[in-house]
Amino acid sequence: MHPYVYATLGGALIGGAAVLLMAGLGRIAGISGIAGGLIQHHPGDRAWRLAFMLGLLLAPLLLLLVRGDSGIGLPQVGLPWMALAGVLVGFGTGMGSGCTSGHGVCGIARLSPRSLLATAVFMACGMATVYVSRHGLGGL
Amino acid sequence: MKVIVALLSGLLFGVGLSLGGMTQPAVVLGFLDIFGQWDPRLLFVMAGAVPITALGYRVLRRRPRPLLEDRFRWPTSRRLDVRLVGGAALFGIGWGMAGYCPGPALAALSGGAPALLVLVASMFAGWWLAARLPATKA
Protein backbone atom coordinates (compact mmCIF):
# COMPACT_ATOMS: atom_id res chain seq x y z
CA MET A 1 0.00 0.00 0.00
CA HIS A 2 1.06 3.54 -0.69
CA PRO A 3 2.34 5.53 2.32
CA TYR A 4 -0.50 8.02 1.87
CA VAL A 5 -3.03 5.20 2.23
CA TYR A 6 -1.32 4.09 5.44
CA ALA A 7 -1.33 7.69 6.67
CA THR A 8 -5.07 8.06 6.02
CA LEU A 9 -5.77 4.70 7.62
CA GLY A 10 -3.57 5.66 10.58
CA GLY A 11 -5.52 8.89 10.88
CA ALA A 12 -8.79 6.96 10.89
CA LEU A 13 -7.49 4.84 13.79
CA ILE A 14 -6.55 8.00 15.67
CA GLY A 15 -10.08 9.29 15.09
CA GLY A 16 -11.47 5.99 16.39
CA ALA A 17 -9.27 6.28 19.48
CA ALA A 18 -10.52 9.82 20.13
CA VAL A 19 -14.17 8.76 19.80
CA LEU A 20 -13.59 5.74 22.05
CA LEU A 21 -12.03 7.86 24.80
CA MET A 22 -14.89 10.38 24.68
CA ALA A 23 -17.56 7.68 24.54
CA GLY A 24 -16.07 5.75 27.45
CA LEU A 25 -14.48 8.34 29.73
CA GLY A 26 -15.81 11.63 28.41
CA ARG A 27 -12.30 12.86 27.77
CA ILE A 28 -10.64 14.68 24.87
CA ALA A 29 -7.81 12.58 23.39
CA GLY A 30 -5.19 15.29 23.79
CA ILE A 31 -1.82 13.77 24.62
CA SER A 32 -0.39 16.87 26.29
CA GLY A 33 -3.48 17.13 28.48
CA ILE A 34 -3.51 13.44 29.36
CA ALA A 35 0.22 13.12 30.08
CA GLY A 36 0.71 16.64 31.44
CA GLY A 37 -2.22 16.09 33.79
CA LEU A 38 -0.16 13.43 35.55
CA ILE A 39 1.96 16.02 37.30
CA GLN A 40 -1.05 17.90 38.67
CA HIS A 41 -2.72 16.85 41.84
CA HIS A 42 -5.86 15.02 40.85
CA PRO A 43 -6.18 12.08 43.21
CA GLY A 44 -7.85 9.05 41.63
CA ASP A 45 -7.26 10.50 38.20
CA ARG A 46 -3.92 8.92 37.42
CA ALA A 47 -4.80 5.34 36.43
CA TRP A 48 -6.56 6.07 33.13
CA ARG A 49 -3.86 8.56 32.12
CA LEU A 50 -1.12 6.00 32.74
CA ALA A 51 -3.13 3.31 30.95
CA PHE A 52 -3.56 5.52 27.87
CA MET A 53 0.16 6.31 27.84
CA LEU A 54 1.01 2.63 28.24
CA GLY A 55 -1.19 1.91 25.22
CA LEU A 56 0.67 4.55 23.19
CA LEU A 57 3.98 3.04 24.24
CA LEU A 58 2.95 -0.53 23.46
CA ALA A 59 1.56 0.31 20.02
CA PRO A 60 4.90 0.28 18.14
CA LEU A 61 5.84 -2.97 19.87
CA LEU A 62 2.53 -4.50 18.76
CA LEU A 63 3.26 -3.40 15.20
CA LEU A 64 6.74 -4.88 15.47
CA LEU A 65 5.19 -8.22 16.40
CA VAL A 66 2.46 -8.14 13.75
CA ARG A 67 4.21 -6.47 10.83
CA GLY A 68 7.87 -6.80 11.75
CA ASP A 69 8.20 -3.01 11.70
CA SER A 70 7.62 -0.78 14.71
CA GLY A 71 7.43 2.30 12.52
CA ILE A 72 9.77 4.17 14.86
CA GLY A 73 12.27 6.37 13.06
CA LEU A 74 15.62 7.68 14.22
CA PRO A 75 15.97 11.03 15.99
CA GLN A 76 17.17 13.68 13.54
CA VAL A 77 18.98 16.01 15.94
CA GLY A 78 21.50 15.68 18.77
CA LEU A 79 20.82 15.45 22.49
CA PRO A 80 21.00 19.16 23.37
CA TRP A 81 18.39 19.94 20.69
CA MET A 82 16.20 17.05 21.83
CA ALA A 83 16.33 18.41 25.40
CA LEU A 84 15.54 21.98 24.38
CA ALA A 85 12.81 20.85 21.99
CA GLY A 86 11.25 18.74 24.76
CA VAL A 87 11.06 21.67 27.17
CA LEU A 88 9.52 23.90 24.49
CA VAL A 89 6.99 21.25 23.47
CA GLY A 90 6.02 20.58 27.10
CA PHE A 91 5.90 24.20 28.19
CA GLY A 92 4.18 25.40 25.00
CA THR A 93 1.48 22.72 24.98
CA GLY A 94 0.94 23.23 28.72
CA MET A 95 0.61 26.99 28.31
CA GLY A 96 -1.52 26.72 25.15
CA SER A 97 -3.67 23.87 26.55
CA GLY A 98 -3.10 21.41 23.73
CA CYS A 99 -0.94 19.88 21.04
CA THR A 100 -1.36 18.27 17.64
CA SER A 101 -3.93 15.82 19.01
CA GLY A 102 -5.99 17.97 21.38
CA HIS A 103 -6.08 21.07 19.19
CA GLY A 104 -5.10 19.64 15.80
CA VAL A 105 -7.46 16.66 15.72
CA CYS A 106 -10.08 16.86 18.50
CA GLY A 107 -10.39 20.66 18.48
CA ILE A 108 -10.60 20.99 14.72
CA ALA A 109 -13.20 18.21 14.70
CA ARG A 110 -15.26 20.37 17.09
CA LEU A 111 -14.58 23.43 14.92
CA SER A 112 -13.27 25.17 18.03
CA PRO A 113 -11.97 28.67 17.17
CA ARG A 114 -9.28 28.29 19.85
CA SER A 115 -8.03 25.06 18.33
CA LEU A 116 -8.14 26.37 14.76
CA LEU A 117 -6.04 29.36 15.84
CA ALA A 118 -3.62 27.27 17.91
CA THR A 119 -3.14 24.76 15.06
CA ALA A 120 -2.47 27.55 12.55
CA VAL A 121 0.08 29.09 14.93
CA PHE A 122 2.00 25.92 15.83
CA MET A 123 2.10 24.77 12.22
CA ALA A 124 3.36 28.16 11.04
CA CYS A 125 5.99 28.28 13.81
CA GLY A 126 7.05 24.69 13.13
CA MET A 127 7.43 25.47 9.42
CA ALA A 128 9.36 28.66 10.17
CA THR A 129 11.70 26.75 12.50
CA VAL A 130 12.39 24.06 9.91
CA TYR A 131 12.91 26.74 7.27
CA VAL A 132 15.52 28.50 9.37
CA SER A 133 17.29 25.30 10.39
CA ARG A 134 17.35 23.72 6.91
CA HIS A 135 17.52 26.62 4.51
CA GLY A 136 18.99 29.31 6.75
CA LEU A 137 18.14 32.95 6.92
CA GLY A 138 20.14 33.64 3.75
CA GLY A 139 17.14 32.66 1.65
CA LEU A 140 14.91 35.28 3.18
CA MET B 1 -12.96 -1.00 32.97
CA LYS B 2 -11.96 2.66 32.62
CA VAL B 3 -8.35 1.60 32.56
CA ILE B 4 -9.02 -0.95 29.83
CA VAL B 5 -10.83 1.58 27.62
CA ALA B 6 -8.02 4.10 28.14
CA LEU B 7 -5.40 1.47 27.32
CA LEU B 8 -7.26 0.44 24.16
CA SER B 9 -7.68 4.05 23.09
CA GLY B 10 -3.97 4.71 23.64
CA LEU B 11 -3.06 1.56 21.75
CA LEU B 12 -5.30 2.48 18.81
CA PHE B 13 -3.93 6.01 18.84
CA GLY B 14 -0.34 4.78 18.86
CA VAL B 15 -0.91 2.27 16.06
CA GLY B 16 -2.48 5.09 14.02
CA LEU B 17 0.47 7.39 14.65
CA SER B 18 2.95 4.70 13.75
CA LEU B 19 1.17 3.56 10.57
CA GLY B 20 0.87 7.19 9.54
CA GLY B 21 4.63 7.71 9.78
CA MET B 22 4.29 10.13 12.69
CA THR B 23 6.76 8.21 14.88
CA GLN B 24 9.43 9.05 12.30
CA PRO B 25 10.63 12.58 13.01
CA ALA B 26 12.00 12.72 9.45
CA VAL B 27 8.42 12.44 8.13
CA VAL B 28 7.14 15.14 10.49
CA LEU B 29 10.02 17.49 9.68
CA GLY B 30 9.40 16.70 6.01
CA PHE B 31 5.83 17.94 6.44
CA LEU B 32 7.02 21.14 8.10
CA ASP B 33 9.63 21.68 5.36
CA ILE B 34 7.26 23.27 2.84
CA PHE B 35 10.13 24.80 0.85
CA GLY B 36 12.07 21.54 0.64
CA GLN B 37 11.07 17.97 -0.25
CA TRP B 38 7.57 18.34 1.18
CA ASP B 39 6.07 15.20 2.73
CA PRO B 40 2.27 15.60 3.00
CA ARG B 41 1.69 12.52 5.16
CA LEU B 42 0.75 14.49 8.28
CA LEU B 43 -2.04 16.08 6.27
CA PHE B 44 -3.35 12.64 5.26
CA VAL B 45 -3.27 11.58 8.91
CA MET B 46 -5.36 14.62 9.84
CA ALA B 47 -7.69 14.03 6.89
CA GLY B 48 -8.30 10.53 8.22
CA ALA B 49 -8.65 11.52 11.86
CA VAL B 50 -10.70 14.74 11.83
CA PRO B 51 -13.88 13.57 9.99
CA ILE B 52 -14.16 10.41 12.11
CA THR B 53 -13.67 12.37 15.32
CA ALA B 54 -16.16 15.02 14.16
CA LEU B 55 -18.77 12.40 13.30
CA GLY B 56 -18.27 10.48 16.55
CA TYR B 57 -18.38 13.65 18.66
CA ARG B 58 -21.62 14.71 16.92
CA VAL B 59 -23.28 11.49 17.93
CA LEU B 60 -21.88 11.66 21.49
CA ARG B 61 -23.00 15.27 21.95
CA ARG B 62 -26.59 14.07 22.01
CA ARG B 63 -25.92 11.61 24.81
CA PRO B 64 -26.29 12.63 28.44
CA ARG B 65 -23.07 11.06 29.71
CA PRO B 66 -20.20 8.80 28.69
CA LEU B 67 -20.42 5.08 29.38
CA LEU B 68 -18.03 4.96 32.34
CA GLU B 69 -18.07 8.46 33.83
CA ASP B 70 -20.72 10.83 35.13
CA ARG B 71 -20.15 13.58 32.57
CA PHE B 72 -18.49 14.54 29.32
CA ARG B 73 -15.64 16.98 29.72
CA TRP B 74 -16.03 19.01 26.55
CA PRO B 75 -13.63 21.96 26.58
CA THR B 76 -15.47 25.13 27.56
CA SER B 77 -12.91 27.92 27.21
CA ARG B 78 -13.51 30.28 24.30
CA ARG B 79 -10.71 32.69 25.07
CA LEU B 80 -8.41 33.66 22.20
CA ASP B 81 -5.59 35.09 24.28
CA VAL B 82 -1.84 35.54 24.51
CA ARG B 83 -1.54 32.33 26.47
CA LEU B 84 -3.09 30.23 23.70
CA VAL B 85 -1.12 31.88 20.90
CA GLY B 86 2.14 32.14 22.87
CA GLY B 87 1.92 28.51 23.98
CA ALA B 88 1.16 27.32 20.45
CA ALA B 89 4.10 29.36 19.11
CA LEU B 90 6.58 27.91 21.61
CA PHE B 91 5.25 24.42 20.96
CA GLY B 92 5.62 24.96 17.18
CA ILE B 93 9.25 25.99 17.58
CA GLY B 94 10.04 22.93 19.70
CA TRP B 95 8.13 20.72 17.25
CA GLY B 96 10.11 22.11 14.32
CA MET B 97 13.42 21.65 16.11
CA ALA B 98 13.21 17.89 16.64
CA GLY B 99 10.07 16.69 14.83
CA TYR B 100 8.30 15.33 17.90
CA CYS B 101 4.95 16.38 19.31
CA PRO B 102 3.82 14.71 22.57
CA GLY B 103 2.04 11.64 21.14
CA PRO B 104 4.79 10.44 18.82
CA ALA B 105 7.41 11.24 21.48
CA LEU B 106 5.71 8.90 23.98
CA ALA B 107 5.08 6.21 21.36
CA ALA B 108 8.66 6.36 20.06
CA LEU B 109 9.97 5.98 23.60
CA SER B 110 9.42 2.24 23.22
CA GLY B 111 12.10 2.18 20.53
CA GLY B 112 14.58 2.47 23.38
CA ALA B 113 16.66 5.36 22.04
CA PRO B 114 18.18 7.28 24.99
CA ALA B 115 17.57 10.52 23.07
CA LEU B 116 13.83 9.93 23.36
CA LEU B 117 14.14 9.53 27.11
CA VAL B 118 15.86 12.92 27.23
CA LEU B 119 13.14 14.49 25.08
CA VAL B 120 10.26 13.01 27.09
CA ALA B 121 11.87 13.91 30.44
CA SER B 122 12.32 17.51 29.28
CA MET B 123 8.75 17.52 28.00
CA PHE B 124 7.53 16.63 31.49
CA ALA B 125 9.77 19.36 32.90
CA GLY B 126 8.07 21.76 30.47
CA TRP B 127 4.61 20.65 31.62
CA TRP B 128 5.70 21.09 35.22
CA LEU B 129 6.88 24.63 34.47
CA ALA B 130 3.70 25.49 32.56
CA ALA B 131 1.58 24.28 35.49
CA ARG B 132 3.35 26.91 37.60
CA LEU B 133 2.22 29.78 35.38
CA PRO B 134 -0.20 32.07 37.19
CA ALA B 135 -3.82 31.09 36.55
CA THR B 136 -5.61 33.18 33.95
CA LYS B 137 -8.15 35.67 35.19
CA ALA B 138 -11.70 34.40 34.91
Side-chain angles (χ1 to χ4, degrees), chain A residues 34-42 46 49, chain B residues 124-132:
Chain A
I34 294 172
L38 273 178
I39 53 160
Q40 285 161 22
H41 299 286
H42 299 299
R46 287 226 162 94
R49 295 176 190 273
Chain B
F124 272 94
W127 283 324
W128 185 85
L129 282 173
R132 260 123 206 97

Side-chain angles (χ1 to χ4, degrees), chain A residues 3-33 35-36 38-41 47-63 67 69-77 79-101 103-110 112-115 117-119 121-123 125-131 133-135, chain B residues 1-26 29-36 38-50 52-57 60-61 65-69 71-75 77-98 100-103 106-111 113-116 118-119 122-133:
Chain A
Y4 295 175
V5 179
Y6 274 119
T8 313
L9 186 71
L13 293 180
I14 291 171
V19 175
L20 176 65
L21 198 68
M22 185 56 80
L25 277 69
R27 294 282 186 165
I28 292 283
I31 314 300
S32 61
L38 273 178
I39 53 160
Q40 285 161 22
H41 299 286
W48 76 271
R49 295 176 190 273
L50 287 170
F52 184 92
M53 287 163 65
L54 181 67
L56 262 185
L57 215 90
L58 290 177
L61 302 177
L62 179 74
L63 284 175
R67 301 177 70 218
D69 176 13
S70 72
I72 295 177
L74 290 175
Q76 302 291 300
V77 293
L79 276 184
W81 290 109
M82 292 288 274
L84 183 57
V87 173
L88 285 170
V89 167
F91 187 78
T93 55
M95 178 178 169
S97 307
C99 56
T100 341
S101 49
H103 282 313
V105 172
C106 299
I108 289 185
R110 295 185 304 114
S112 150
R114 269 172 65 82
S115 292
L117 176 62
T119 305
V121 170
F122 66 64
M123 286 211 173
C125 289
M127 285 168 179
T129 304
V130 170
Y131 185 85
S133 67
R134 286 198 176 170
H135 310 290
Chain B
M1 192 60 194
K2 278 185 237 176
V3 168
I4 295 171
V5 170
L7 181 82
L8 274 178
S9 175
L11 196 62
L12 210 56
F13 203 110
V15 168
L17 284 175
S18 197
L19 281 183
M22 301 295 101
T23 44
Q24 300 172 48
L29 293 174
F31 167 76
L32 294 173
D33 191 9
I34 42 172
F35 295 105
W38 192 55
D39 184 331
R41 264 182 277 179
L42 191 140
L43 217 53
F44 282 90
V45 171
M46 285 184 74
V50 170
I52 290 189
T53 309
L55 202 70
Y57 280 3
L60 293 173
R61 278 268 186 206
R65 41 172 291 190
L67 296 170
L68 306 169
E69 283 283 358
R71 64 188 173 97
F72 286 113
R73 291 168 202 257
W74 300 107
S77 172
R78 303 194 56 80
R79 223 182 274 127
L80 302 176
D81 55 9
V82 180
R83 205 165 163 139
L84 178 79
V85 174
L90 291 175
F91 163 44
I93 294 169
W95 191 34
M97 278 172 56
Y100 291 98
C101 51
L106 288 171
L109 199 56
S110 57
L116 261 300
V118 170
L119 180 101
S122 1
M123 202 162 70
F124 272 94
W127 283 324
W128 185 85
L129 282 173
R132 260 123 206 97
L133 285 172

